[in-house]
Amino acid sequence: MTGPSHVVPVPKGYRVGRWEVQRPIASGAFSTVYAARPTAPADRLPSRAALKFLATGTRTPRQVRHLRDLAEREVELLSRLHEPRLIRMYETLLVDDPDHPELDGATVLVLELAADSLDAVLARAPRPASGPLLLTQVCAGLHQLHRAGWVHGDLKPANVLLMDDGTARLADFSTAAKLDGTHAYSPAFATRDYTPPELLWPETSAHGTLIRPTADIWAFGVLAHLVLTGSHPLPGATPEARCDAAARYAQGTEELRLSPELPEPWRQIVTDCLARTHHERAAAHDTAGLLELVDHAAGLRVRRPRRPGFRRRHPVLATVLAGVLLVAAGTTGAGYLYVNQEDGTPVYRALPESERNPVGPDGKVDYGYRRCPEDSVCFFSEHNGNGEMCSWHGDDSDWLSGAETCAWAGSHPVRSAYINLDPERGLSGVAYFRGPGFNPADADRRRLLQRTGCSTINSMGNLAGTYAPRSHRLVSSCFSLNAVIDNLTPW
């Protein structure tokens, strides 16, 4: 049995749905998270997950209503949003176990299992070298939330999770609020160090506490200062003291005390994020503009096309250009990678060397494209070789069955690829198809050359559009029509 410090204590080996509890990961004010594994192999289920237990039936009616509201907020958001920088939810469960009244009635969220949290990283090593890159991903997560009409409401290091590949995702959406115009209503709960001054005296109603997207921007400013300098931007040895300093700052009797160690490109960003009032913050930034500034400060340069919407006006030409750009990205060593903007228009992102070829403490590359084994074909669930990876030495006629499977591809698109094949094989590329058996499916039957796509040997880069391959085949050429037709004939 787990210790009494856990809000929802669950014994090791306890089974709920198709999952078996393994070990506790973290515990907050309203929930406890455990690592878990499936009790039996199943299609499209990961080999491990995180179970978040909330809302036990032993609470008072008022507490139960409050905890149910928190659970419903998180379930609604994760059910609707499937974004690269947000933690993923696989399913929700309800414990029906009268023999364990402390668990009976608990809502359980089955979530993607993270490797670490930013909170733990900062506790081990303040000012991590990966800080600027992680901040770009946190900011991207906020932009994805705000663009979809949600406010996080409790951004802090403990709610930034790090995956096996080192990338960051936002988590814990129990206090998230759905926007109704310019504002939303959230439960009256937040972490003091990351609460903007206006929420120290919040506007409340029967709907909850009024909150705006600028609350997340304030929290991002505090987080950025902490990650980059190891200190808070307002004075005080405790959260209570810093909360008092924030109140004086809002009244004009206290100033920000930005650390001299804050890198110069970040100083104006943090200053604007920590503007005294909601109106000043809103005038300085929304998350779209903030993301561009953060990218630049982190050393990522973005060149945007002059005519947005080109892909919508010329879809066929854009598709052909996307293939050419992917090849170009590979031949330049992925210094500039093709990605899609929100409206589908192409842009290039220049990656820092640390992301193109990251090396772990043991001297080995531990994430990114370089995870791809030698002489292999690798596909990734996220841009720039991040996320989950599936790799093959040769062809695969069906990714979702057989000896080698790529289970995540059944429900998540392929975002990037690395065709890391040995040139001595005499091959030129890899063609991939939505259907099994190297055949096109659905809309691909009307596409040029009757396939989803083809990447040349030694290329690495992001795939344009939303690719959902089901099979792939090594081909002698990506550009010869006869070669492609020959390779379309199943063995």
Side-chain angles (χ1 to χ4, degrees):
M1 177 73 74
T2 59
S5 62
H6 299 301
V7 173
V8 186
V10 183
K12 183 177 181 180
Y14 187 84
R15 295 191 175 190
V16 54
R18 298 172 288 184
W19 300 93
E20 180 182 286
V21 171
Q22 295 295 293
R23 58 181 173 81
I25 298 174
S27 194
F30 306 113
S31 63
T32 303
V33 181
Y34 296 86
R37 66 183 180 186
T39 54
D43 290 341
R44 299 187 180 183
L45 269 185
S47 60
R48 53 184 186 156
L51 302 188
K52 183 174 182 177
F53 285 77
L54 308 110
T56 67
T58 59
R59 306 299 181 106
T60 67
R62 182 176 180 179
Q63 286 176 317
V64 169
R65 285 194 300 271
H66 178 64
L67 294 173
R68 186 182 299 122
D69 177 56
L70 297 180
E72 288 174 353
R73 286 171 181 271
E74 189 155 17
V75 169
E76 181 184 3
L77 187 150
L78 290 173
S79 298
R80 290 171 179 254
L81 303 186
H82 303 278
E83 298 283 357
R85 298 271 70 86
L86 309 182
I87 204 74
R88 298 172 194 153
M89 182 178 71
Y90 300 118
E91 60 179 330
T92 61
L93 304 168
L94 185 68
V95 177
D96 182 11
D97 189 355
D99 294 334
H100 292 81
E102 73 282 4
L103 294 176
D104 191 34
T107 297
V108 183
L109 310 185
V110 183
L111 304 168
E112 191 174 20
L113 182 64
D116 211 341
S117 73
L118 182 55
D119 195 35
V121 169
L122 295 177
R124 294 193 301 267
R127 302 179 62 192
S130 60
L133 182 58
L134 292 176
L135 289 172
T136 67
Q137 295 169 357
V138 170
C139 191
L142 286 181
H143 179 50
Q144 290 162 9
L145 273 178
H146 290 189
R147 184 181 65 210
W150 289 81
V151 179
H152 189 287
D154 195 23
L155 177 66
K156 58 185 178 181
N159 291 340
V160 176
L161 301 184
L162 305 183
M163 312 312 292
D164 286 333
D165 61 9
T167 58
R169 298 187 202 266
L170 302 188
D172 196 348
F173 303 103
S174 57
T175 59
K178 193 172 184 181
L179 287 167
D180 181 9
T182 60
H183 62 275
Y185 291 96
S186 177
F189 174 80
T191 304
R192 288 187 177 185
D193 271 331
Y194 300 88
T195 300
E198 66 270 15
L199 292 184
L200 299 176
W201 309 279
E203 301 174 50
T204 60
S205 71
H207 301 292
T209 298
L210 190 147
I211 189 172
R212 300 177 178 89
T214 53
D216 286 342
I217 289 178
W218 170 279
F220 180 80
V222 176
L223 181 71
H225 193 277
L226 183 64
V227 168
L228 297 171
T229 71
S231 64
H232 288 269
L234 288 161
T238 65
E240 291 77 12
R242 291 189 288 269
C243 187
D244 290 341
R248 296 192 300 273
Y249 170 64
Q251 295 165 355
T253 60
E254 181 78 64
E255 295 296 326
L256 289 177
R257 299 187 184 181
L258 301 185
S259 169
E261 296 179 346
L262 185 64
E264 189 57 39
W266 291 89
R267 297 188 76 83
Q268 192 60 51
I269 293 174
V270 171
T271 299
D272 288 342
C273 286
L274 300 180
R276 283 188 170 91
T277 68
H278 146 71
H279 299 287
E280 290 176 291
R281 264 172 270 136
H285 293 310
D286 60 11
T287 50
L290 180 60
L291 182 56
E292 280 199 42
L293 295 173
V294 168
D295 275 348
H296 179 76
L300 304 178
R301 299 182 303 277
V302 178
R303 178 172 66 82
R304 303 193 183 278
R306 291 184 177 181
R307 298 183 62 195
F310 173 80
R311 185 179 179 85
R312 291 179 177 176
R313 293 195 301 273
H314 308 287
V316 175
L317 180 57
T319 299
V320 175
L321 287 175
V324 174
L325 291 171
L326 178 59
V327 175
T331 58
T332 58
Y336 286 86
L337 296 178
Y338 176 91
V339 299
N340 280 333
Q341 271 184 251
E342 298 154 24
D343 65 352
T345 56
V347 299
Y348 292 89
R349 182 183 297 276
L351 297 179
E353 180 61 31
S354 60
E355 187 174 346
R356 277 182 270 153
N357 192 22
V359 178
D362 58 357
K364 296 180 180 179
V365 174
D366 54 9
Y367 68 93
Y369 288 110
R370 300 300 180 180
R371 292 179 293 155
C372 184
E374 292 184 4
D375 197 24
S376 298
V377 178
C378 298
F379 293 91
F380 305 88
S381 66
E382 293 194 21
H383 287 147
N384 308 331
N386 292 318
E388 298 176 83
M389 178 184 78
C390 289
S391 66
W392 295 268
H393 183 68
D395 304 312
D396 192 333
S397 61
D398 190 349
W399 286 14
L400 304 183
S401 65
E404 292 182 90
T405 60
C406 187
W408 57 264
S411 58
H412 190 76
V414 169
R415 300 294 191 188
S416 54
Y418 183 15
I419 313 304
N420 189 24
L421 295 176
D422 188 338
E424 292 186 3
R425 288 214 212 181
L427 298 164
S428 179
V430 172
Y432 30 97
F433 313 86
R434 289 184 191 269
F438 319 115
N439 284 313
D442 302 327
D444 289 327
R445 295 186 183 279
R446 299 188 299 272
R447 288 171 58 93
L448 181 67
L449 304 187
Q450 299 293 289
R451 62 188 176 181
T452 295
C454 190
S455 296
T456 58
I457 190 171
N458 291 330
S459 67
M460 63 171 75
N462 296 327
L463 299 180
T466 302
Y467 282 79
R470 179 82 180 265
S471 58
H472 73 269
R473 194 167 192 180
L474 280 59
V475 297
S476 58
S477 174
C478 276
F479 304 105
S480 167
L481 179 59
N482 290 332
V484 171
I485 292 175
D486 290 344
N487 279 289
L488 283 173
T489 305
W491 287 333

